[in-house]
Amino acid sequence: MSGAEEVFNFIDGQWQKPGGAAGASILDPATQEIIGNFTNSSERDVEAAATAASNAFSSWRNTPVVERIQLLQNLLFFLRSEQDALARIITRESGKTYNESLGELKRAFENIEVACGAPTFSQGTFSEDIAPGIDEIMIRQPVGISLIICPFNFPSMIAFWFMPYALACGNPVIVKPSEKVPLTMQTIFRLIEKVGFPKGIVQMVQGDADTVDQLLNHPVIKTVSFVGSTAVAKKVYAQATAHGKRAQCQGGAKNPIVVMPDADPEMTIRILADSAFGCAGQRCLAASLVLPVGEAIDWLQPAICRAAEERIVGHGLDEGVQMGPVISPASLKRILALLAEGESAGARPLVDGRNAVIPGYEKGNFIKPCVVDHLQADGKLVQTEIFGPVLGILPMDSLDNAINWINQSLYGNMASIFTASGSSARHFRHEVLAGNIGVNIGVAAPMAFFPFSGWKDSFFGDLHGQSEDAFNFFTQKKVVIERWKDKWSRQF
């Protein structure tokens, strides 16, 4: 990528300049260099996309599923062929390291692979002779036009939690990328264009919150898939369902990791540091709080502090860098404000990554890893999703107390335990109120053939992204009860 790229919509098979007002420039988070010029979509753009999708729906739903997945397989080929270039764009736009960007793309590819199982997963059921001469059939049919609203932290992956499943099930798709990172999805859509989907089947509409409102309110859109903060997830879910739409909205998190005294120290610290500081802490499965039980604090605290101090921070495309910047100056300012507020309430920074200066990248949105203890249980550092490389230490005197503390949280995205005891692990996984559980795992991210779960204020809806949940979300069940005059038995 060289120079500042213009942002476009992809509507009805054509690239179009958005017709709305100019937005903020797209900046490389490590350098503050302008890499793109953003323009919002207009109401006319939204209407054009909705109309094109509506016009295309009938022919797409009647396209045999084996033909639909052949197009997805072609897309997978193009994406894999361009993964190096895509990873570099992700890093330039979001700030994560090149290897983290490649990892994100791999997860996107896996979801396309699973979605290509649609000929099996979208099958219905059949019961013969529920009464004399009468059969009953359940068939799955597409729901309708599907809207996908994406966050900034995974510019490629999260759209693919939903998009390939919706397409495989016969639904046209409209993708609304985050206005902070629109260039990655724009590049992906140039590959989608090469695949040859029919016009109106896969579209992209750029825009901010106003564009989201217009899309949510449009009557032709039938399903909404969203990932973002809890506050926005609640709003999107309420607005979508108020307009009669099926919705799945993934919210925020405050992920705890319990460390038992019998945990393997070397493995635990390595995985814990990757979980807390990977992607600069900007992921919904990042470790936010570590809960050492009993004497585990004696070895955990000094070791995690060393790991935080040794983490190499810089531009994600530079050799050896382990952590990049946060997404924006506003995000950096918010993280710093939360740390300052926590410190004024008595929190103690054991590793203080504030005022980070990275040679050659002095203008970047950099904060180095932070480790904080002496936390107030009701303070913001404990209760708020920081979305930055900040790990709080909250000691516990027993596993049951740790579980009770986790279960009182408003969030329920992920919780993990590090232990050598199968009994402790089983007790933890059975009792903890969270949708994704890790045992000696720091980022309990489900594979594409499992649903990406989430409980409490971390998710709004009943069917999650990925796997069988996605096939259920993007299809609706029709039950047919039929009787024919039987010339063999002469029954009617």
Side-chain angles (χ1 to χ4, degrees), residues 227-241:
V227 176
S229 69
T230 288
V232 181
K234 282 182 177 180
K235 178 182 181 299
V236 169
Y237 186 77
Q239 189 170 347
T241 54

Side-chain angles (χ1 to χ4, degrees), residues 4-5 10 39 42 47 70 81 108 164 202 254 273 276 287 295 319 329 360 378-379 391 430 432 434 462:
E5 187 174 350
F10 188 73
T39 305
S42 64
E47 186 60 40
Q70 285 170 5
S81 299
V202 197
K254 191 71 179 178
E295 60 268 28
E319 190 75 23
D378 58 351
L391 180 66
H430 185 265
V432 167
D462 57 358

Side-chain angles (χ1 to χ4, degrees), residues 414-426:
M414 183 195 83
S416 290
I417 184 171
F418 282 79
T419 181
S421 166
S423 175
S424 295
R426 188 182 189 283

Side-chain angles (χ1 to χ4, degrees), residues 25 27 72 87 92 126 133 151 154 223 264 297 302 325 336 369-370 375 404:
S25 296
L27 305 177
L72 290 174
R92 287 289 310 277
F126 180 92
F154 286 91
T223 75
D264 178 272
I297 186 68
L336 296 176
C370 299
L375 299 172
N404 290 337

